[in-house]
């Protein structure tokens, strides 16, 4: 059931529907470069295997400082201290 309540002032609800989870995630990451956003919520998008992501963006507040391409390309494992 979809909510008919509008988001609070300065916020927008965004729904991304894509054929794969990776494609949906990339679009969400692009939005996060421009706007502060909540954690995404992921759902199946129908019987043909698509993915739906829902997130809320704060249109009144810019995203944090842009990370360099090097920082953004590192995986979580790469950033852990080596023992």
């Amino acid at each position: 059931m979809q909510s008919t309540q509008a988001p609070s002032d300065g916020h927008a609800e965004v729904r991304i529907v894509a054929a794969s989870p990776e494609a949906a995630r990339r679009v969400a990451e692009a939005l996060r470069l421009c706007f502060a956003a909540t954690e995404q919520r992921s759902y199946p998008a129908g019987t043909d295997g698509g993915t739906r992501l829902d997130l809320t963006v704060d249109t009144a507040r810019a995203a944090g400082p842009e990370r360099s391409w090097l920082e953004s390309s590192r995986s979580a494992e790469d950033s852990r201290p080596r023992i």
Side-chain angles (χ1 to χ4, degrees), residues 1-80:
M1 181 175 187
Q2 291 182 334
S3 171
T4 57
Q5 182 179 357
S8 62
D9 191 33
H11 290 80
E13 295 291 327
V14 178
R15 174 172 290 167
I16 303 164
V17 179
S20 72
E22 181 64 19
R25 186 186 62 76
R26 286 182 180 178
V27 173
E29 285 179 1
L31 285 170
R32 284 193 188 97
L33 290 175
C34 299
F35 303 105
T38 62
E39 285 296 314
Q40 63 201 30
R41 298 164 307 276
S42 178
Y43 306 94
T47 58
D48 54 343
T51 297
R52 184 184 97 203
L53 293 181
D54 294 342
L55 66 152
T56 302
V57 296
D58 184 345
T59 60
R61 195 175 63 154
E66 187 173 333
R67 298 182 303 167
S68 74
W69 68 268
L70 181 60
E71 290 172 330
S72 63
S73 66
R74 291 183 180 152
S75 70
E77 186 174 318
D78 290 342
S79 63
R80 289 188 300 186

